[in-house]
C-alpha cells in the first residue's frame, strides 16, 4: 500500500528493515548532516534515519523528530510511489498517451477514457480543517525556531528547510504549482524563497510582482510521499503536482484551505508554514548553501516570505534531506523522474530508446541518450530536441549513442562513446540557458553546451572507413565454459557480464 503520511511511510521503511531510529541527542547543526552523509554515501544509499532527539541551537531537544534519507534507496523510492519497478509508472503513462488515430466511435470513447485516466484522481477539497491544522500558531505565536530545521554545512548562510512542497498559484490561470525549493530561515517569522528563475514558482512570483499584488505561498512539510516526490518532478507549468500525485497514488490528495490565505494545502501534511511575499519589499540575501553540485552556491537575492501561520499535526515528523557531493538522497528522487518521464520524451522524440543521468553529473551536467538511428545526423536532431524541452534545456553535456548501448551503465556508455568519437568531428557547442547552480558558465544562467555524437558513423555522414564489431565470445564456447566452470576451482562468479 502506498503511504498516506510520513508516519506510515516511516513505519513501512521500518518493516522493510531500512530504518535506523537514532535515540541519542544529535545536533541539528552539522552533526545530523555528517551522520546522514555517511549513510547516503554507503552502497545502495544507506538506511533512512529517524532522529528522535534533535538538538536545537539553544541546546534544547525538539519534541518533533527529524526523518532523513526516506527516499534514499531504490527500494524506498519504489515504495514511496507504490511500485516494485519505477519503469512501471513510465509504462502506465505510455499506455495512457499511446495515441493512435481513433478508427470509429468506440475507439474515440476508449481513447478519451484512457486519457482521462491521468486525471482520474484529482485533488479532493475537504471542508473544515485538516489533520495538518490540529495545532495552529498565528501572528506573534509563530516561531520557526521551534521547527527542527537543519543547518547542513559549515559555510551555509543559516538553517534551511530542504524537502518542502512550496505551493503557489498562477494569478492568470489560477493553476496551482507545487515545487521543491529550499527555504532559508532568516528570523522567527521570515524566510527566503530559493525558487530559481527557470522554475514555475519564480514565474508566478514575476507575474504577481508585475501586478504589485501580495503573493500567498504555503510551505508544506511531510505528508504523503508521492506528493513530496511530485514537488520535485519537472511537470509542465499547467499541470498541478497534486493531480500528478493523485495519479501516482491512485487516490486524490485531500486538500484543505490554509488558515491565513485561500491556498489549498494537503490535509495530511505534517507541518504547513503559511505566508506571503510583498512585492514592494526589496529582495533579501539568500545563501550561501552547500548545494547538490557538491560546491557551495553563492549568496544571491531572493524574495522574503513573511510567515503568517504555522500549522501542524498532533505528532508531526519533520522530513528533511541534505544535498552535497553526490551521491545523495536526491539522486533517487531524480532517478524516479528519469524513469517516469522516458515515455513523455519518447512522445516527441520517438527514436530515444533510453536515457540516463548518472549521479556525478547531478542531472543537468550529463545526459546519456541511446537512439534507434535510422538516418544521418539523427544524433544532432535528438540533442537539439532535448535542448528545447522544459528543464532538459539546462543539460550541459549530452552524449548520444546507438540503441545497443546500455546507457544506464555509465562505464559502458563512456567506454563506447570514447571509442566511437573523433573529438573534433563529433562534438559541437551551442548556447542556451544554464542551470542557476552552474558556477562555471560565462554568465549567470547563460552559457555553452556540448553535444557528443558517439553513434556509429555512416557512409552518408562522410565516414568511408570500415566500422569494427564489438568483441564477444561465440555462444558455443561460452556454453562449454559454463558447463565446466564449477570444476575449475576459480572463485570469481562465472559470466560477469
Ligand atoms: C532536494 C531537492 C532540493 C531542491 N532545491 C531546489 C531549490 O532550492 N530551488 C529550485 O529552483 N529547485 C530546487 N530543486 C529542483 C526542483 O524541485 C525541480 O526543478 C522541480 O521540477 C521544480 O518544480 P517546478 O517545475 O514546478 O518549478 C530541488 C530538488 C530537490 C530534489
Amino acid at each position: 500500500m502506498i503511504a498516506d503520511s510520513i508516519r506510515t511511510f516511516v513505519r513501512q521503511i521500518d518493516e522493510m528493515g531500512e530504518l535506523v531510529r537514532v535515540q541519542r541527542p544529535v545536533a541539528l547543526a552539522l552533526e545530523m548532516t555528517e551522520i546522514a552523509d555517511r549513510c547516503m554515501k554507503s552502497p545502495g544509499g544507506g538506511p533512512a534515519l529517524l532522529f528522535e532527539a534533535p538538538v536545537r541551537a539553544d541546546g534544547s531537544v525538539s519534541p518533533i523528530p527529524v526523518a532523513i534519507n526516506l527516499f534514499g534507496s531504490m527500494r524506498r523510492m519504489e515504495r514511496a510511489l507504490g511500485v516494485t519497478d519505477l519503469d512501471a509508472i513510465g509504462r502506465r503513462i505510455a499506455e495512457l498517451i499511446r495515441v493512435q488515430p481513433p478508427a470509429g466511435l468506440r475507439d474515440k470513447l476508449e481513447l478519451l477514457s484512457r486519457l482521462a485516466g491521468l486525471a482520474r484522481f484529482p485533488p479532493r477539497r475537504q471542508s473544515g480543517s485538516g489533520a495538518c491544522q490540529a495545532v495552529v500558531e498565528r501572528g506573534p505565536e509563530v516561531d520557526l525556531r521551534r521547527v527542527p530545521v537543519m543547518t547542513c554545512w559549515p559555510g551555509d548562510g543559516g538553517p534551511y528547510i530542504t524537502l518542502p512542497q512550496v505551493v503557489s498559484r498562477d494569478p492568470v490561470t489560477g493553476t496551482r504549482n507545487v515545487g521543491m525549493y529550499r527555504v532559508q530561515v532568516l528570523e522567527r517569522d521570515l524566510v527566503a524563497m530559493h525558487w530559481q528563475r527557470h522554475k514555475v514558482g519564480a514565474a508566478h512570483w514575476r507575474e504577481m510582482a508585475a501586478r504589485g499584488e501580495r503573493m500567498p505561498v504555503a510551505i508544506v512539510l511531510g505528508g504523503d510521499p508521492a506528493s513530496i516526490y511530485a514537488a520535485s518532478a519537472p511537470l509542465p507549468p499547467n499541470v498541478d503536482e497534486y493531480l500528478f500525485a493523485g495519479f501516482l497514488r491512485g487516490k486524490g490528495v485531500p486538500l484543505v484551505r490554509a488558515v491565513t490565505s485561500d491556498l489549498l494545502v494537503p490535509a495530511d501534511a505534517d507541518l504547513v508554514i503559511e505566508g506571503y511575499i510583498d512585492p514592494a519589499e526589496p529582495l533579501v540575501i539568500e545563501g550561501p548553501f552547500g548545494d547538490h553540485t557538491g560546491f557551495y552556491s553563492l549568496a544571491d537575492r531572493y524574495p522574503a516570505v513573511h510567515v503568517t501561520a504555522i500549522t501542524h499535526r498532533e505528532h508531526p515528523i519533520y522530513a528533511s534531506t541534505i544535498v552535497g557531493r553526490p551521491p545523495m538522497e536526491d539522486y533517487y528522487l531524480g532517478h524516479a523522474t528519469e524513469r517516469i518521464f522516458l515515455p513523455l520524451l519518447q512522445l516527441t522524440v520517438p527514436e530515444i530508446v533510453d536515457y540516463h543521468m548518472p549521479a556525478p553529473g547531478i542531472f543537468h551536467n550529463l545526459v546519456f541518450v541511446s537512439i534507434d538511428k535510422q538516418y544521418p545526423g539523427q544524433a544532432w536532431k535528438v540533442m537539439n530536441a532535448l535542448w528545447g524541452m522544459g528543464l532538459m534545456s539546462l543539460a550541459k553535456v549530452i552524449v548520444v549513442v546507438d540503441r545497443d548501448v546500455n546507457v544506464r551503465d555509465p562505464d559502458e556508455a563512456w567506454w563506447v562513446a570514447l571509442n566511437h568519437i573523433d573529438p573534433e568531428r563529433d562534438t559541437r557547442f551551442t548556447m542556451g540557458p544554464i542551470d542557476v547552480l552552474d558556477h562555471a558558465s560565462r554568465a549567470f544562467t547563460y552559457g555553452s553546451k556540448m553535444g557528443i555524437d558517439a553513434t556509429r558513423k555512416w557512409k552518408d555522414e562522410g565516414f568511408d572507413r570500415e566500422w569494427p564489431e564489438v568483441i564477444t565470445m561465440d555462444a558455443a564456447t561460452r556454453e562449454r565454459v559454463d558447463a565446466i566452470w564449477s570444476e575449475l576451482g576459480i572463485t570469481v562468479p562465472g559470466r560477469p557480464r
Side-chain angles (χ1 to χ4, degrees), residues 229-261:
Y229 159 72
S232 78
L235 295 170
N238 53 353
V239 179
D240 171 12
E241 280 77 4
Y242 289 143
L243 178 75
F244 184 56
F247 163 77
L248 295 170
R249 288 156 40 108
K251 192 156 96 176
V253 178
L255 300 176
V256 289
R257 192 182 183 282
V259 296
T260 56
S261 79

Side-chain angles (χ1 to χ4, degrees), residues 102-120:
L105 181 64
R106 231 185 116 124
D107 271 15
K108 277 189 192 139
L109 291 176
E110 198 265 337
L111 176 67
L112 277 178
S113 69
R114 254 193 303 125
L115 290 176
L118 269 176
R120 240 175 79 206

Side-chain angles (χ1 to χ4, degrees), residues 10-88:
V10 167
R11 203 189 58 233
Q12 289 178 347
I13 295 172
D14 203 3
E15 284 160 8
M16 289 160 68
E18 292 197 13
L19 181 78
V20 176
R21 290 173 190 275
V22 181
Q23 279 154 2
R24 199 186 180 289
V26 172
L28 285 159
L30 310 186
E31 276 182 19
M32 225 172 248
T33 297
E34 178 60 20
I35 295 167
D37 190 30
R38 292 185 195 192
C39 292
M40 292 182 195
K41 295 287 187 292
S42 63
L49 304 172
L50 186 68
F51 290 102
E52 294 182 336
V55 180
R56 296 185 275 222
D58 64 3
S60 63
V61 170
S62 161
I64 305 176
V66 174
I68 196 163
N69 208 20
L70 295 177
F71 298 89
S73 80
M74 217 52 97
R75 275 183 77 209
R76 296 202 293 278
M77 192 63 239
E78 289 162 353
R79 191 63 196 255
L81 303 183
V83 290
T84 49
D85 167 19
L86 292 171
D87 284 286

